[in-house]
Structure formats: C-alpha cells, structure tokens
Amino acid sequence: MTMAAHYPYASGELLDQPQSYQYSPFQGNEFIAAWAHNRAEALADLPPAVTPVRPDAPLATLIVDTMGDGCETLPQLDALLAAVCAGSFNQDQGYALLAPWVKRFEISKRLHTAYGPRLRPRTPEAFRQLAPYLRFAELLEAAWTQWPEWPYFNALLKTLDVLVAHRAELTDAQGATLAWLLGRERAHLEALMNDQGLRP
Amino acid sequence: MTGVVMLTAQTARSQAYAQVLQERGLRLAAAVVFGDGKPRAGAVTGPPLVPAGADLGALRLPDLSIPLDETLAAICDEVVRLLVADVNDPAVLAAVRERSPSLLIYSGYGSQIVGASLLDCAPMLHIHAGWLPEFRGSTTLYYELLAHGQCSASALLLAKTIDTGPVLARRHYPRPPAGLDMDYLYDPAIRADLLGDLLSDYARKGGLPPALAQDETSARTYYIIHPLLKHLAILGAEDNR
C-alpha cells in the first residue's frame, strides 16, 4: 500500500532515541490514514486483544505523594489505575495525582522502574522494561475515558507509539493487552473525530 | 519607548513582533538578538502556506520575507547581535544588564526557558498562545482549538515556573482560515496583535495595566501536541468554517 502521507512516529529504537514530536508537519487527511495503517500493521503482529484485568480497589490506598516520597513504578501505577477505575477521585483530584506522571513521561518519553522524591529516576538506565509503559497506557486510557483532559490522551498516543515500536519485545500476554489498547485508542479517535465534525 | 528592550532570536514570532511594532510607529531602546546561526528544528524551509482570499479581519500576518535585522534596524535605537545559542548564556545576561532596561520583551526559541538571572533584570513581557491559566505549556494553540474551537493569546510577565506569572491581558481569536499555516503565520500573528496593543497603551500611558495573579485551581499544563491531535485540530477547523 502506498500513501502520500507517512507516519514515522512509531518505529525505531524509541526508548533509546525518543521522538520529540516538535514542529510535526501537516500532511492533510491522509496522515490519519497513515496512522491507521501503522496501527493495523502492529495489530497484525500481535495476539488477539484481551481486556486487561484491573488491579483490585484496595490498592488505591497505596498511592504515595510523588513529590515527597519515592516509589516503585509498577505498583504505583497499579494503585492509581485501581483508584481511577473505582471512581475514588473527582476530576481535579485525579489531575493532581496523574499530572506528575504525565509530566515525567512527556519530558523524557521514558518510564523508569523506580523513582525517588519528585519522580527523579533512581537508576538512570532502568527504563527498558515495557510493563510500566503498558500499565501507564492503561491508566491514561482509563483516565481519558472518565475525564476529558487532553494531556491524558496526548500522552496515551505517545506511549502507544513507544509500545508499537517495541512490540517484538512484548510477551504474548503483553501483546494481547497492547492489542486491546490499540482498539481503545481507535475508538477514542473516532469519537473525537465525530466531535470535531470529521469523518473517521 | 525609553528603557524598553527586546530580547529576541531569529524566529517567525520575532519577525511578527518587530513588524507590528513598526506598523504602529513604536520604537525600542534596543534589541538584543541571540542565536548561533544554525537551523533550528521547525525553521521555515519554504514559503508558509497562505490560502488565497483568506479573511483575517484586522489581524496582520507577518511577512517572513523581510529579514528580522532589517525591521529591528528601523525600530530600535540600538541592535546588539550575539553569536550564542542559549538565552541563558552569560553574554546575553551581560548585554541586557548593560542596557538597564525598565521593560524586556521576550521572543526567544520556544524550547528554551529563561533563567532566574535574566528574570531579575527587569519585568519580562511574554505573549503566550493560549488562554491562561487553563492552557499553560506547549502548543496550546492547538489544544484550545480542539477544546473550544477558538484560539487565544495571553500577555504575562515571566516568572520562574512556566506560564505562571501575573497576567496583563488576554484575548480570544477566531478559528484560523482553512489552509493557513498555523505555526509560522497564525500563531505569531495573534501574539504580535496582542503585543502591539499592549505596547501602544504602554507608550501612551507610560506603564503596563495591572497584573492579575493566576487562579491555580483551573490551571492545566500541556505538552508538545501529538501529530494526530494536531491534524484533528487543523482539519476540524477547516471543516467547521
């Protein structure tokens, strides 16, 4: 399939050479088709989608103040996801807790396995495990579903670019979760296009 | 305007600012121009797109074919050029301090953050392309277009944290015309429009309007927009005219 537009944002060694997304060129309607083609190619490489099992609600009590305390990333993202899914926050509370994670990811396009206070990575090189990126994408998707905060969807798109680029490194179970997330991404995009008066 | 100094880099925004000031008959005490002459990410590589018959009302698009240096020479008593890449280079600080400004106008590279030493020299006026405090951060022109179908500019005095300083003025602007380049024409044009009005008042009244602290409860910070959302913002604007 040939297209005039090109979607270059989800390929290569993105963990080592992150995308900056600066001054991205406008490519017209065909860019959306190029993005859709990229995702379709990824889905063809992945196992069938499986809805991920959500963390249990009591995990919500384990949320830390990331400004003052350190944390292990995956358990902390589990706790936040549990809380979002349980409806434990209102929109502003949710934003206050999620915004530091969004900022951390947006600055470096990486998630480390553990952080010290103020979300400073404990080990600079410990960003190559893909499980945190998958959980972060789940969290962003759940948050966007609840609250229309554009930073969540923006970070979700970028996190999925990283996961699509590195999909060959996923386990089968992780690949099934990514396939589910890509389905949710598409559904959200179609809803947005309807809102903007555009045809999907 | 005595004591008013522009701290500027070679960008489309700087060209827009300088041209609007020239159009309104405003003069500056000095411009300090920094930059290492190397192409920056997002530099204009060809004529930006201006659709035929675009209706912009009173908004003036910058003419990017006019070199910044030429306009600055026409509106400034003095132009200082520094071959340094970073706004926080000691040479920039020295040049600004030497001129003892009463007001600084900032038009640097979007990716750089002005340091505390420069902020301490004089009040530094910046025009942000977004309604503050709801749209802080990067590429907010597009996010606001997605969220509300309109664009905005906010004039503020720079503070140590991004987009948190006291706000002097805010203005909404309509959706841009279909096909108009937003990064290099529309965004600089709306910023320059608000700047021109603010400085015209400053010249007439001898001071800035009262600055208002931002309401932190409604503040949201945005990061560089993903290209897919950028396309939605532009295509939605085109389809909804």
Side-chain angles (χ1 to χ4, degrees), chain A residues 24 27 149 154 158 161 196, chain B residues 220 224 226 230-231 240:
Chain A
S24 55
Q27 299 186 61
E149 300 273 8
N154 198 64
K158 294 179 182 177
D161 282 343
Q196 297 290 320
Chain B
R220 291 293 189 265
I224 295 176
H226 189 279
K230 182 174 180 175
H231 278 71
N240 284 316

Side-chain angles (χ1 to χ4, degrees), chain A residues 7 9 20-29 31-32 35 92 95 103 106 149-151 153-154 157-158 161 196-198, chain B residues 41-42 111 143 145-147 183-184 217 219-232 234-236 238-240:
Chain A
Y7 189 82
Y9 302 102
S20 75
Y21 297 99
Q22 276 191 342
Y23 291 103
S24 55
F26 179 65
Q27 299 186 61
N29 277 298
F31 178 79
I32 298 180
W35 166 84
D92 287 341
Y95 181 79
K103 178 180 178 181
E106 285 278 14
E149 300 273 8
W150 290 100
F153 194 62
N154 198 64
L157 292 170
K158 294 179 182 177
D161 282 343
Q196 297 290 320
L198 298 168
Chain B
S111 55
Y143 286 109
L145 200 53
L146 279 170
D183 288 336
Y184 298 109
T217 58
R220 291 293 189 265
T221 298
Y222 294 81
Y223 302 92
I224 295 176
I225 195 165
H226 189 279
L228 193 61
L229 291 182
K230 182 174 180 175
H231 278 71
L232 257 60
I234 295 171
L235 293 169
E238 291 180 358
D239 271 32
N240 284 316

Side-chain angles (χ1 to χ4, degrees), chain A:
Chain A
M1 177 181 184
T2 58
M3 270 176 289
H6 179 48
Y7 189 82
Y9 302 102
S11 57
E13 296 295 326
L14 292 188
L15 291 179
D16 287 315
Q17 294 164 3
Q19 278 285 350
S20 75
Y21 297 99
Q22 276 191 342
Y23 291 103
S24 55
F26 179 65
Q27 299 186 61
N29 277 298
E30 291 181 337
F31 178 79
I32 298 180
W35 166 84
H37 180 67
N38 171 266
R39 294 316 202 229
E41 282 189 325
L43 282 167
D45 292 340
L46 294 170
V50 172
T51 304
V53 175
R54 298 301 196 187
D56 293 330
L59 282 175
T61 59
L62 301 177
I63 294 170
V64 302
D65 172 10
T66 51
M67 290 301 103
D69 301 320
C71 65
E72 302 288 320
T73 301
L74 209 44
Q76 189 59 203
L77 296 179
D78 281 351
L80 287 167
L81 180 57
V84 170
C85 293
S88 303
F89 310 131
N90 63 30
Q91 185 165 348
D92 287 341
Q93 290 168 334
Y95 181 79
L97 286 168
L98 268 59
W101 289 96
V102 171
K103 178 180 178 181
R104 169 49 49 200
F105 174 75
E106 285 278 14
I107 288 173
S108 65
K109 308 300 182 300
R110 290 170 176 163
L111 288 171
H112 289 70
T113 53
Y115 290 94
R118 304 181 67 81
L119 286 181
R120 294 208 168 103
R122 281 193 202 150
T123 308
E125 286 305 308
F127 57 81
R128 292 192 169 81
Q129 285 189 23
L130 294 178
Y133 296 90
L134 272 168
R135 197 55 114 185
F136 187 55
E138 280 189 68
L139 174 60
L140 293 169
E141 193 280 330
W144 171 254
T145 299
Q146 279 219 31
W147 307 301
E149 300 273 8
W150 290 100
Y152 301 157
F153 194 62
N154 198 64
L156 175 62
L157 292 170
K158 294 179 182 177
T159 309
L160 291 176
D161 282 343
V162 170
L163 288 164
V164 164
H166 288 271
R167 61 187 181 272
E169 301 159 41
L170 296 170
T171 65
D172 283 350
Q174 290 174 331
T177 298
L178 178 57
W180 179 85
L181 283 163
L182 294 180
R184 293 298 298 153
E185 181 192 47
R186 186 176 181 102
H188 287 306
L189 178 71
E190 288 175 357
L192 283 173
M193 291 184 74
N194 279 327
D195 287 347
Q196 297 290 320
L198 298 168
R199 291 183 59 190

Side-chain angles (χ1 to χ4, degrees), chain B residues 12-13 16-17 48-51 54-62 64 127 129 141-142 145 149-153 171-194 234 237 241:
Chain B
R13 188 192 310 173
Y17 283 6
L49 191 61
V50 183
D55 179 10
L56 295 158
L59 196 63
R60 183 195 192 283
L61 295 181
L64 300 184
I127 311 295
L141 186 84
Y142 293 103
L145 200 53
Q150 65 187 6
C151 302
S152 299
R171 185 176 297 162
H172 291 304
Y173 292 88
R175 288 179 183 276
L180 180 65
D181 183 288
M182 289 178 65
D183 288 336
Y184 298 109
L185 291 180
Y186 193 71
D187 175 307
I190 65 174
R191 296 187 203 228
D193 182 71
L194 186 59
I234 295 171
R241 290 197 64 80

